Structures are given as C-alpha cells and as structure tokens.
Amino acid sequence: MATMQFDLVSPERRLASMEVSEVQIPGADGDLTAMPDHAPLITTLRPGVLRAIGAEGEKAYFVTGGFADVAGPSATILAERALPVDEVTGDLVEELISASETRRSNASDETADAAAKYHADLTSALDAIVGR
Amino acid sequence: MPSLKDLKNRIETVKSTRKITKAMQMVAAAKLRRAQEAAEMARPYAERMEAVMSGLAQAVGNAEGAPRLLAGTGEDKVHLLVVMTSERGLCGGFNSSIARLARQRIQKLLGEGKTVKILTVGKKGREQLRRDYSDHMIGHVDLSDVKRVGYANASDIASDVLNRFDAGEFDVATIFYNHFQSVISQIPTAQQIIPASFDDAEAAEGGTLYDYEPSEEAVLEDLLPRGVATQIFTALLENGASEQGARMSAMDNATRNAGEMIDKLTIQYNRSRQAVITNELIEIISGAEAL
C-alpha cells in the first residue's frame, strides 16, 4: 500500500513522524482524509481529533487548532496544541473549556461568531473523547 | 602589608567564590543543553510556518484589503519595541548588548521624530532602559516565575501585542533578542514582526500551487497571529539559550580569574610567611651572638 510521510508538530516539539497510509484531518470547513498523492492543500484546523492510520495501526491525537499542509508525498500538521487522545485528562478538558468560555464572553461583535464556533467544536470534540 | 591571617582569610574567600562560579558554570551548561534542545525542537514548526506564510504572503500580499498584520497600517509613526532580556544577571554582556542595540534604535527613531513605545520582557532590560526612557515604557512582562518558557508564555505576549495593534497603539513592532550563535558568541538581533516581513528568496523556492481551505485570505488571517506568536516563541527560546551560553562563558572566566588570584595570593602568603621566619631567625641568631 502506498504510504506518505506524516508529521505532527506543535510549537514546542515534534509529536509524531511516521509513514502512514491515510490521515483524517479535522479541517475548519469539515473533516477530510488525506491519502498519498493528495493534491497540495493548506487548510486551517478546528478543535478535533486527528487520526493517522499506518502500518502500526491507528493513532489518534487531539488538536486545538492550527493548520495542515498536505502536499503529495507528505502531510504536515502544525498544531497549536496537540496531544495523544489517551493523554487528555479531566483537568485539561476543564482548562480548555473555561479558557474558551472566557474568550467567548470577551469576544467583540466581530469575533463572536468565531469564538462561538470554536467553543462548539471544542466541546463536541472533547465530548467525543471523554464519552468513549 | 596585610598580615598572614588577613591573607589566609582572603584566599579562603576567593576559593569559595571560585566554588560558586564553578557551580554556576556547570548549572548553566546543563541548562544550556536543555535550552538548545528546546530551541531545536521548536525549529520544525517555526520553519514550516515561515515557509507557508511567505508563500501565502506572496499570493495575497499585494492585493487590496490584505490583512493589516501583513500590509501594515500604511503609516510608520509609532514604533513598538519589544525588548527581551533575562530575569537574572551574572551573564556577562548578555543584557547590555540587547539594551545597547535597543537604545541605538530608540535614538534613531526619536531622531526621526517617531513615537517610540517600549514593552520589556525580563527584568534586567527594564532596569537598564528605565533610566533613560521611562516615559516610553508601556508595559512589562515578568517571566521570573516561569521555570521553562513554553509556547503559552509566547502566546500571552503575542496576544498582548496584537491587542495593542488592533487598538491602533502602534504601526510597527520589532522584537529585540540575542540570537544564539555559540557559547561565546550571541548576536543581538532586531526583528520586525508587524507588519510581517519575509525573505523573498525563501518564498520563491516553495513553488507548489496549493489549494487553500477555506480561502487564502481566511487561512492567512488565521496564520498571521500565530506567526507573531511563533516568532516571539522562537526569540524567547533563542534568548534562553543565549542567556545560559553567556552565563556559562562569563562564569568560566570568573572561575579562571579566581584561580589566578588564588595563585597570586598564595605566593604572597608564602613569601610573607618566609619573611616572618627569616626575621625570627635573625633575631635568635643576633641574640645568640650578643651573648
């Protein structure tokens, strides 16, 4: 099976770098799956779960945002904050939700929509993880 | 002429100073390694970010209605200088070299009749600049409680800067930090972060035609603030490594100087002890001869 290079980097470190056959990306306008030789694409991310499927099985990561750079033989995810789904803890969930709520309540008219969307995406992503 | 006891005390003092500087050097060496690793790990993100942004900037940059973070406010009157220094001293010329560069820039801008605002990160730089430019200071970020600089710190500074920019407080923002070259050489660097500036040559390389989702403008809009945070984060990490490097070489020098001083003092001590002994002998001998 064809594979592609998958890199997941956060500002602080490289979280993953491996050969995968497909990556499921929570894009800002909806989920998408990148497979080898995907057309070059740059998309922003919404909070959600990123899945990389390779020879070693499926790896799931929770990302809060950032963007994905998909180009032919490689997919690079630059995540603002990312960690393996197994490491999502109750404390983190609460921290993220309260930060998002503060942001939403402080949002001006222009940014209210974006903040509300962020909050909705965040809560549904976290619900999905916690409700497993 | 100091007495023998004075000399002995003096030698002891210098010895314990040497122990301290030696320990500080070793601590700095360990911290330097960690700081370098952190800088190393942050590099892929920063590089990728820069590449994507410069590609985008070329595509969108010249169009009407480009984001203000990229195109600027169209004016060049008010400059914000973000001066990043360390929280602790005893690191050689580390802080002074940044302060000097910042001071030169401030003088130049003031000479051109521009308004200058200063945001300091790290207490040492604030102390140095406060003397001359306290009227220009608009804020200070204290990182003294932060053990390890994380992206969250950079992102806080960035959002402070961005809020001020949105409020129209300044037109151009520049960060000042020390670029880590090696343990003995740190280069004070000024880098303009708002409006974003890119190396054109670098952008030309990434020739792939991308699809942008949702749209080029939307992606760029989302990316630019992140870019500011990333640049600040990179600068903080470089600064962290530079600080430890500077401290390491400063403490290495101090340790060596203390060693030289101990040698000199020991010679002086031995000589005066010998002089005392000789004196006593002369007294005994001349006493014996007198009998």
Side-chain angles (χ1 to χ4, degrees):
Chain A
M1 193 160 55
T3 58
M4 62 201 288
Q5 177 62 34
F6 162 71
D7 292 292
L8 174 62
V9 289
S10 76
E12 284 167 22
R13 64 202 175 108
R14 187 189 293 267
L15 277 123
S17 176
M18 56 185 177
E19 290 284 318
V20 298
S21 54
E22 65 173 88
V23 190
Q24 294 171 8
I25 301 166
D29 280 357
D31 287 1
L32 63 110
T33 301
M35 297 183 79
D37 292 324
H38 192 285
L41 167 79
I42 288 178
T43 176
T44 49
L45 305 181
R46 63 183 160 77
V49 178
L50 180 84
R51 283 174 211 283
I53 298 159
E56 303 132 49
E58 182 182 308
K59 294 243 166 63
Y61 300 91
F62 171 68
V63 294
T64 59
F67 66 100
D69 173 357
V70 181
S74 71
T76 307
I77 316 296
L78 296 149
E80 176 115 313
R81 194 162 170 188
L83 69 171
V85 163
D86 313 333
E87 291 173 22
V88 176
T89 59
D91 290 345
L92 179 80
V93 171
E94 271 170 31
E95 181 204 320
L96 285 170
I97 288 189
S98 69
S100 167
E101 267 166 0
T102 329
R103 198 170 96 162
R104 194 167 57 155
S105 57
N106 293 341
S108 62
D109 290 346
E110 285 166 47
T111 57
D113 277 357
K117 181 176 181 314
Y118 177 84
H119 189 74
D121 287 336
L122 182 74
T123 43
S124 67
L126 289 173
D127 273 348
I129 294 172
V130 175
R132 269 174 312 150
Chain B
M1 180 79 188
S3 74
L4 277 184
K5 188 153 171 34
D6 287 344
L7 274 174
K8 204 167 194 173
N9 285 343
R10 190 77 212 284
I11 292 174
E12 283 310 311
T13 321
V14 180
K15 269 190 183 156
S16 46
T17 308
R18 182 172 65 170
K19 269 185 208 143
I20 295 171
T21 55
K22 182 87 194 161
M24 280 185 77
Q25 185 207 338
M26 286 193 299
V27 171
K31 282 191 180 162
L32 171 68
R33 206 173 40 237
R34 228 177 309 146
Q36 267 180 304
E37 267 165 28
E40 199 76 24
M41 285 204 280
R43 203 156 294 156
Y45 186 89
E47 274 171 9
R48 209 45 184 255
M49 190 74 149
E50 165 101 26
V52 173
M53 285 215 307
S54 54
L56 261 174
Q58 280 202 328
V60 186
N62 302 325
E64 283 285 312
R68 284 166 75 229
L69 279 173
L70 184 64
T73 52
E75 291 190 49
D76 182 30
K77 276 208 197 90
V78 187
H79 284 247
L80 176 74
L81 309 186
V82 183
V83 183
M84 302 184 182
T85 50
S86 69
E87 292 289 347
R88 285 143 179 262
L90 288 180
C91 42
F94 176 81
N95 291 312
S96 331
S97 61
I98 301 177
R100 192 177 329 122
L101 184 70
R103 209 171 278 143
Q104 280 167 3
R105 178 65 66 94
I106 295 168
Q107 286 302 347
K108 185 166 160 264
L109 289 171
L110 289 177
E112 288 166 6
K114 308 252 163 76
T115 313
V116 173
K117 293 180 176 176
I118 306 170
L119 177 71
T120 49
V121 180
K123 138 180 124 192
K124 289 290 162 185
R126 185 179 57 156
E127 284 166 5
Q128 295 203 7
L129 292 174
R130 193 166 44 187
R131 225 173 306 148
D132 299 330
Y133 305 108
S134 54
D135 313 342
H136 299 283
M137 301 267 187
I138 52 162
H140 174 64
V141 180
D142 192 351
L143 295 178
S144 54
D145 298 335
V146 181
K147 278 239 169 68
R148 197 187 166 139
V149 177
Y151 183 70
N153 304 114
S155 159
D156 289 346
I157 299 174
S159 60
D160 183 23
V161 170
L162 290 170
N163 285 339
R164 290 177 195 276
F165 183 70
D166 287 339
E169 284 186 35
F170 63 89
D171 302 313
V172 179
T174 314
I175 50 177
F176 289 83
Y177 66 98
N178 262 328
H179 183 79
F180 182 79
Q181 182 98 22
S182 71
V183 175
I184 42 166
S185 146
Q186 296 88 32
I187 302 162
T189 311
Q191 187 181 341
Q192 182 180 320
I193 52 170
I194 300 174
S197 64
F198 296 104
D199 214 341
D200 283 342
E202 229 170 85
E205 281 172 25
T208 327
L209 274 176
Y210 280 100
D211 271 342
Y212 292 95
E213 206 174 292
S215 67
E216 289 182 4
E217 289 79 9
V219 173
L220 194 58
E221 200 108 337
D222 187 58
L223 275 188
L224 284 167
R226 281 177 215 273
V228 172
T230 310
Q231 278 174 309
I232 291 179
F233 184 53
T234 311
L236 281 176
L237 290 176
E238 288 277 345
N239 229 8
S242 300
E243 180 193 341
Q244 299 305 339
R247 176 165 300 129
M248 208 177 122
S249 52
M251 287 304 121
D252 187 37
N253 281 337
T255 310
R256 216 168 316 138
N257 285 343
E260 276 170 26
M261 203 159 172
I262 290 171
D263 288 349
K264 271 189 204 150
L265 285 171
T266 313
I267 291 176
Q268 205 189 340
Y269 173 76
N270 287 342
R271 288 217 173 117
S272 10
R273 196 189 48 170
Q274 193 58 53
V276 171
I277 294 171
T278 317
N279 259 338
E280 271 176 21
L281 276 178
I282 292 174
E283 274 164 26
I284 294 170
I285 294 169
S286 33
E289 268 177 7
L291 280 177

